[in-house]
C-alpha cells in the first residue's frame, strides 16, 4: 500500500505483519521484532520515538518537534507523557495482579491530571507531542474504554 505521510509529505509503503507468526524477513530487521519498523533505503529504524527522531533529522521540514532546543524540549516532554500514558494502559490491561493494576491506574490518573492542567502548554502546531497523546488515548480507549474523558474533559474536547 503506497501512501503519503500527511505531516511531512513523505511517500511510504505500509506492510502488514502477522505478529503471531512473524516472518523471517521481519525478524531480520532488528532485535526487538515489534512494530513499528521503518526501512528507508539501507537504514532500518525501530521504535516509534526513534523513528520520529530519525525522520525529523533526515527530513527536517515540516518540523514535528519544533525549532530550537526549547520547542524541541517541550515536544519531547509531551511525547514522554503520551508514551508513559500508553505504558500504564498496557500494564493495567495485561496485569493479572490487582495491586499492579491499581498502581498503573493511579499513575494514569496523575498523567491525565497533568495533561489537563497543562493543556495550554501543548505546542500549537501539530507534531510528535500531539501524535503521542492521540496514540496513547486511542489505545486507552480501545483497551480500557472512554473513562479518561471524564477525568480530562478539556483534553477530550481538544481530541474531538
Amino acid at each position: 500500500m503506497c501512501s503519503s505521510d500527511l505531516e511531512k509529505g513523505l511517500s511510504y509503503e505500509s506492510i502488514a505483519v502477522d505478529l503471531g507468526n512473524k516472518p523471517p524477513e521481519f525478524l531480520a530487521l532488528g532485535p526487538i521484532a515489534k512494530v513499528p519498523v521503518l526501512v528507508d533505503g539501507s537504514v532500518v529504524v525501530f521504535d516509534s520515538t526513534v523513528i520520529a527522531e530519525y525522520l525529523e533529522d533526515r527530513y527536517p521540514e515540516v518540523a514535528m518537534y519544533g525549532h530550537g532546543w526549547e520547542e524541541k524540549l517541550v515536544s519531547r516532554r509531551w511525547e514522554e507523557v503520551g508514551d508513559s500514558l500508553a505504558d500504564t494502559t498496557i500494564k493495567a490491561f495485561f496485569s493479572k495482579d490487582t495491586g499492579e493494576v491499581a498502581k498503573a491506574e493511579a499513575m494514569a490518573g496523575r498523567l491525565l491530571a497533568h495533561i489537563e492542567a497543562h493543556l495550554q502548554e501543548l505546542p500549537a502546531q501539530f507534531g510528535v507531542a500531539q501524535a503521542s497523546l492521540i496514540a496513547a488515548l486511542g489505545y486507552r480507549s480501545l483497551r480500557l474504554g472512554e473513562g479518561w474523558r471524564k477525568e480530562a474533559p478539556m483534553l477530550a474536547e481538544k481530541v474531538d
Side-chain angles (χ1 to χ4, degrees):
M1 162 204 250
C2 247
S3 297
S4 178
D5 170 62
L6 296 176
E7 288 77 25
K8 287 195 172 277
L10 301 172
S11 314
Y12 65 93
E13 180 183 358
S14 180
I15 300 172
V17 175
D18 179 357
L19 296 176
N21 187 24
K22 298 173 184 171
E25 59 272 14
F26 175 73
L27 294 172
L29 293 175
I32 297 177
K34 68 177 188 176
V35 294
V37 174
L38 172 72
V39 179
D40 187 17
S42 63
V43 176
V44 177
V45 188
F46 41 86
D47 182 76
S48 57
T49 300
V50 179
I51 291 169
E53 289 183 2
Y54 166 78
L55 290 171
E56 187 77 352
D57 289 342
R58 179 80 171 86
Y59 307 98
E61 294 305 323
V62 170
M64 298 297 291
Y65 282 92
H67 297 284
W69 72 267
E70 290 173 305
E71 287 183 12
K72 290 178 181 180
L73 177 60
V74 168
S75 290
R76 285 188 174 100
R77 282 178 166 169
W78 280 104
E79 181 182 32
E80 183 57 28
V81 169
D83 289 352
S84 295
L85 182 59
D87 290 345
T88 62
T89 300
I90 291 166
K91 184 178 257 184
F93 182 74
F94 286 105
S95 183
K96 305 287 186 232
D97 179 339
T98 56
E100 287 301 312
V101 172
K103 284 182 199 174
E105 284 303 286
M107 178 62 167
R110 285 193 301 278
L111 289 165
L112 287 166
H114 173 84
I115 295 166
E116 190 78 354
H118 297 277
L119 203 51
Q120 74 282 357
E121 298 167 20
L122 195 61
Q125 180 180 333
F126 183 85
V128 295
Q130 291 84 351
S132 179
L133 290 174
I134 290 167
L137 293 168
Y139 187 74
R140 188 162 187 80
S141 293
L142 173 71
R143 296 297 191 190
L144 301 176
E146 302 270 318
W148 66 268
R149 291 176 173 278
K150 288 182 182 175
E151 292 181 64
M154 291 185 301
L155 175 60
E157 185 177 313
K158 194 164 187 81
V159 169
D160 293 336

